[in-house]
Amino acid sequence: METKNVSKCSWAAAFAVASVWFGTHVGGGFATGNQVIQYFAQYGWTAAIFPIIAMGILAMVMYVVMSFAKLKGFDNYKDTFAALYPNPKMEILFEIFYIVIILAAVASAVAGAGEVMANFLGIEYVGLAKFLCNIAIVGVLVLLSVFGIKLVMAASTVLSVAILAITACVIFSGLTADMDAITAQYLTANNIEPIAYTSNAFGSIWSGIIVYAAFQCVSIAPMIAASNELSMKGIKRSVILGWVMNGGALAASGYMLSKWYPVLKALQVAGVTGFTNALGIPNQTILNLVGVRTILVLFSLLLFCAFVSTCVTLVYTMVQRFQGVCMPNVIKSEKVRSAVVGFVVICICFALSLLGLSNIIKYAYGYDGYYAIFAVILPVLVWGIPKVRALKGAQKEANTEAKVGNLVADN
């Protein structure tokens, strides 16, 4: 019994659960650098600090929800939030947030893969080129959804590890490159000046800490399921490790990109050939500037595969979630219902993808983040914390009574 208890709270078990949060968070938006630019790097030096604070807030919220689920015996977000809100029907609030963020994630993955393709082919990702690239991605998505879902899901873990490794190489390359010489070369050749950081103290705090932490609440759902076997001590350890892993990676990327932001912004604003969308996938742009061709090719290939994998996996998730309620009395075949749901999801995501990766991350993620502040974070703090305290108190009292009962029985 003691061995089982240790395994449920060991640092190894906690690390495995923390890795679920890390894998959910550090996806395509992080790997491209776009998400980091939008919410942190454009504001300057705070990009190395605010990510740690944002992930700290998320860690606190996550700890409350995971503890509540554990104490109540739940292993899914639906039951957890139905019990956490004052009224079970309010669970729809989290459901709306979760569905919107998943649709936005698929759309950003389509747009990101299309942009990677365009950049690699050396064409501008605008107008007809954007439409055709995104259509091509949707075509690949449909084929894989029909014929290769098992292959994609089996390869997703390997792809995640690979993209994280190559992103670490990008960050290292960006930090160790002779940035002054490269910057001078491109700025002088194009007769332009570096552009200053966005000067907005309130905006940097609101966007980089509050909103970012809010839309990253999407990680709560998989963490509830992943932590089902952990003890309360194990949950605390997993959240601490998750905070260190996510906050550290985000801060490192933010610091590197903040150093390059003035020149990337200048190249984009000036419309320099080859850099008209320098901030679209800034990590790819930096590799171009640094001239590390091998890493650039590998990064582009892995990022493309990761985006496609994300699309297929999330579309499959949405199909599994909604095919059962898609007119079951009218459409008897489960395969037909799945196809209908998949088609609708893909159409919605394709339409959203035409907004472009930057706009999806800025507006879709951002506005869903605003919503999550009131629909997820505040309810967890207002109702979740007192409920967790009450459940812990009841559990402690029950344990004390049990010990007393055992002592009486022994005597």
Side-chain angles (χ1 to χ4, degrees):
M1 188 68 178
E2 186 64 28
T3 305
K4 186 178 180 182
N5 214 23
V6 171
S7 69
K8 286 187 175 183
C9 68
S10 67
W11 284 105
F15 178 78
V17 174
S19 298
V20 173
W21 176 8
F22 191 63
T24 305
H25 170 215
V26 189
F30 171 88
T32 60
N34 190 303
Q35 196 167 279
V36 183
I37 287 281
Q38 295 266 12
Y39 291 93
F40 300 105
Q42 65 168 308
Y43 298 106
W45 63 270
T46 57
I49 299 172
F50 285 3
I52 297 171
I53 301 173
M55 291 298 97
I57 292 173
L58 180 57
M60 179 179 64
V61 172
M62 199 171 285
Y63 175 70
V64 174
V65 177
M66 290 165 66
S67 297
F68 180 75
K70 180 66 180 180
L71 291 166
K72 294 287 285 186
F74 299 139
D75 62 358
N76 63 85
Y77 75 85
K78 195 171 186 67
D79 290 337
T80 301
F81 279 93
L84 188 143
Y85 291 115
N87 188 314
K89 292 182 180 179
M90 290 177 67
E91 185 272 331
I92 191 67
L93 296 176
F94 185 85
E95 196 84 54
I96 291 170
F97 158 74
Y98 195 57
I99 291 170
V100 170
I101 207 72
I102 286 180
L103 290 174
V106 177
S108 67
V110 171
E115 194 165 336
V116 169
M117 178 188 293
N119 291 346
F120 196 72
L121 294 175
I123 59 178
E124 298 292 342
Y125 184 67
V126 293
L128 181 61
K130 177 192 286 188
F131 182 86
L132 292 176
C133 284
N134 287 11
I135 277 287
I137 301 305
V138 168
V140 172
L141 174 59
V142 171
L143 287 173
L144 288 174
S145 297
V146 175
F147 300 109
I149 181 64
K150 291 184 179 179
L151 173 64
V152 170
M153 294 184 77
S156 61
T157 301
V158 175
L159 280 173
S160 296
V161 173
I163 196 67
L164 288 173
I166 199 68
T167 302
C169 292
V170 173
I171 294 172
F172 179 78
S173 299
L175 288 173
T176 57
D178 189 351
M179 194 182 72
D180 291 337
I182 295 171
T183 298
Q185 175 189 340
Y186 279 90
L187 294 181
T188 302
N190 294 283
N191 194 28
I192 54 178
E193 294 291 329
I195 290 181
Y197 295 108
T198 302
S199 180
N200 185 345
F202 173 78
S204 66
I205 295 171
W206 172 253
S207 175
I209 296 178
I210 309 300
V211 176
Y212 193 87
F215 75 73
Q216 286 298 335
C217 283
V218 66
S219 301
I220 290 175
M223 284 293 279
I224 291 173
S227 63
N228 186 45
E229 294 299 319
L230 289 181
S231 65
M232 291 296 291
K233 187 176 181 180
I235 287 173
K236 181 181 289 187
R237 286 180 169 180
S238 71
V239 169
I240 291 171
L241 285 173
W243 178 24
V244 173
M245 291 161 65
N246 286 281
L250 198 56
S253 179
Y255 175 66
M256 185 275 288
L257 286 168
S258 68
K259 292 181 65 177
W260 286 93
Y261 176 79
V263 66
L264 295 182
K265 184 70 173 179
L267 291 169
Q268 180 169 301
V269 170
V272 176
T273 302
F275 297 98
T276 54
N277 194 25
L279 295 175
I281 303 182
N283 281 342
Q284 196 176 34
T285 306
I286 289 169
L287 289 176
N288 263 321
L289 291 172
V290 173
V292 189
R293 185 66 186 172
T294 303
I295 296 179
L296 174 61
V297 172
L298 190 56
F299 173 77
S300 300
L301 178 62
L302 285 173
L303 187 58
F304 179 85
C305 291
F307 272 135
V308 171
S309 172
T310 297
C311 286
V312 175
T313 304
L314 292 180
V315 169
Y316 180 76
T317 299
M318 294 294 281
V319 169
Q320 293 297 99
R321 172 67 181 82
F322 289 105
Q323 67 85 14
V325 295
C326 178
M327 299 181 289
N329 295 328
V330 178
I331 306 175
K332 302 296 183 182
S333 171
E334 182 178 322
K335 289 184 178 180
V336 174
R337 290 200 306 271
S338 297
V340 170
V341 173
F343 177 76
V344 171
V345 169
I346 289 172
C347 286
I348 292 172
C349 293
F350 172 72
L352 287 173
S353 74
L354 296 178
L355 295 173
L357 181 62
S358 295
N359 285 329
I360 294 169
I361 288 176
K362 182 177 182 179
Y363 296 111
Y365 284 19
Y367 287 131
D368 206 29
Y370 300 160
Y371 171 78
I373 294 170
F374 300 99
V376 183
I377 291 182
L378 288 179
V380 168
L381 299 179
V382 173
W383 296 308
I385 292 177
K387 288 186 176 184
V388 168
R389 285 176 179 167
L391 288 168
K392 282 183 176 180
Q395 186 181 69
K396 186 176 181 180
E397 186 176 335
N399 290 340
T400 302
E401 290 178 355
K403 286 181 181 179
V404 172
N406 289 335
L407 287 173
V408 172
D410 290 340
N411 292 329

